[in-house]
Amino acid sequence: MPLRDLALGLTVIAIWALNIIVIKLGVADMPPLLLMTLRFMLVAVLIVPFTRITRRQLPWLLLLSVTFGGLHFPLLFLGLGEAEAGTGALLVQMGTPFATLLAAAFLKERLDARRSIGLLLSFGGVVIIAGGPSLPAALPTTLLLASALFWAVSNLLIKAAPYIAPLTLAGWIALFAIPQVALESWLFESGQLAALSAAGPSGWGAVVYTAVMSSIVAYGLWYRLLQKHPVSRVVPLSLLMPVFAVLLGVWLLDDSLGVNKLAGGTLVVAGLAVINLHLDTLLPWFGKRRSGTQNR
């Protein structure tokens, strides 16, 4: 990958990692479900007027607005309110192992030795993290893992649905999720008007950043890279996201960086790599390295 495109890819990963930090700061300034509602409103305003959907796509978008918009994102925001940013980012990465298990159970995809090893590494990493002081209380941990589960469910639905352009998907899911999350906020939160009038730069900045930078700019750049390069060259960069999130949490929020988080996080990322990367993805790289060594 040319250096310019590699830099773009790393920029996207940094945007997504910083998104975890921004959410953490935002939910400290504004009720999580209210913040989520405002985020969806801004995404819908910026995308929906410029996109169109078909009748065939509509039922899938409505279903995804529940699993992705009404469950995954609210659970993520609620969980991050009570968890360290880096630990939260690592727990949410369990969406990939969950998706692998769901695909094996419902789509009859073969759970081969490589994926099984990746699952063992990922779940082993969570167990190690659980043995350290950085794991949040039972409720936020459950919320974050449930968020990862609904991310996995949503990805299986996207795989089964007719093709929908990524930004179209984001915009219309946001539109249909607005009443769902607004109702959740009305039922489970209070003092929304007072929170809006008292919200400061952290709250409003989180609304803008999560909507514009994370949902629109980052995904736009990411899919541009996927159009230009093989998936096997682009997707491995996403493995750096939890690494960046942990480092940013330590740097910006004074999160802890204990042995359990380091060892467990390493296993989680290693498990994701084993699940996502095929041997034929790595062989060309090793071949180039070997060729380059011989040439020198």
Side-chain angles (χ1 to χ4, degrees):
M1 188 182 297
L3 185 59
R4 178 176 176 274
D5 287 350
L6 179 61
L8 282 178
L10 293 175
T11 298
V12 171
I13 301 307
I15 290 173
W16 282 336
L18 187 58
N19 190 54
I20 299 291
I21 309 298
V22 169
I23 292 172
K24 178 74 177 169
L25 295 173
V27 297
D29 195 48
M30 189 182 294
L33 297 175
L34 175 62
L35 192 153
M36 190 76 257
T37 303
L38 295 171
R39 173 193 183 274
F40 280 146
M41 292 172 66
L42 183 55
V43 171
V45 166
L46 293 174
I47 295 178
V48 169
F50 308 101
T51 58
R52 295 291 180 269
I53 60 172
T54 66
R55 289 184 180 179
R56 187 163 169 249
Q57 294 169 334
L58 179 59
W60 293 96
L61 287 166
L62 290 170
L63 185 56
L64 283 163
S65 75
V66 176
T67 61
F68 209 49
L71 291 168
H72 163 67
F73 278 115
L75 290 169
L76 172 64
F77 277 49
L78 288 167
L80 283 176
E82 302 297 329
E84 288 187 355
T87 304
L90 289 168
L91 291 176
V92 172
Q93 296 305 307
M94 294 305 294
T96 296
F98 287 156
T100 303
L101 290 172
L102 291 174
F106 296 103
L107 302 182
K108 307 303 179 185
E109 292 188 4
R110 190 167 65 90
L111 194 60
D112 55 18
R114 175 178 60 82
R115 290 189 176 91
S116 299
I117 292 171
L119 289 172
L120 289 174
L121 289 172
S122 296
F123 284 106
V126 172
V127 170
I128 291 175
I129 293 172
S134 67
L135 190 77
L139 179 58
T141 297
T142 302
L143 292 174
L144 290 167
L145 290 175
S147 172
L149 176 61
F150 283 110
W151 178 91
V153 170
S154 300
N155 275 268
L156 263 64
L157 290 173
I158 291 171
K159 186 172 183 179
Y163 174 76
I164 306 172
L167 287 181
T168 301
L169 190 73
W172 287 86
I173 285 176
L175 178 66
F176 295 140
I178 291 169
Q180 300 174 48
V181 184
L183 178 61
E184 293 170 359
S185 177
W186 181 68
L187 290 174
F188 300 113
E189 295 175 339
S190 59
Q192 286 87 341
L193 291 178
L196 286 174
S197 61
S202 296
W204 291 111
V207 172
V208 174
Y209 186 94
T210 58
V212 177
M213 295 302 295
S214 179
S215 294
I216 298 176
V217 174
Y219 274 105
L221 292 173
W222 188 252
Y223 285 103
R224 179 184 172 189
L225 290 174
L226 286 173
Q227 289 173 347
K228 291 179 64 177
H229 303 284
V231 173
S232 61
R233 293 185 184 177
V234 179
V235 170
L237 293 174
S238 64
L239 298 173
L240 294 172
M241 198 286 283
V243 178
F244 282 20
V246 169
L247 295 176
L248 286 172
V250 172
W251 178 33
L252 298 175
L253 302 178
D254 293 324
D255 285 353
S256 62
L257 188 62
V259 174
N260 290 76
K261 185 188 285 188
L262 282 172
T266 299
L267 281 182
V268 169
V269 174
L272 298 178
V274 172
I275 292 171
N276 283 308
L277 303 183
H278 296 271
L279 186 61
D280 57 2
T281 301
L282 299 175
L283 284 176
W285 186 83
F286 282 113
K288 288 177 183 178
R289 293 282 295 180
R290 183 179 178 187
S291 173
T293 302
Q294 290 172 342
N295 290 338
R296 285 198 300 271

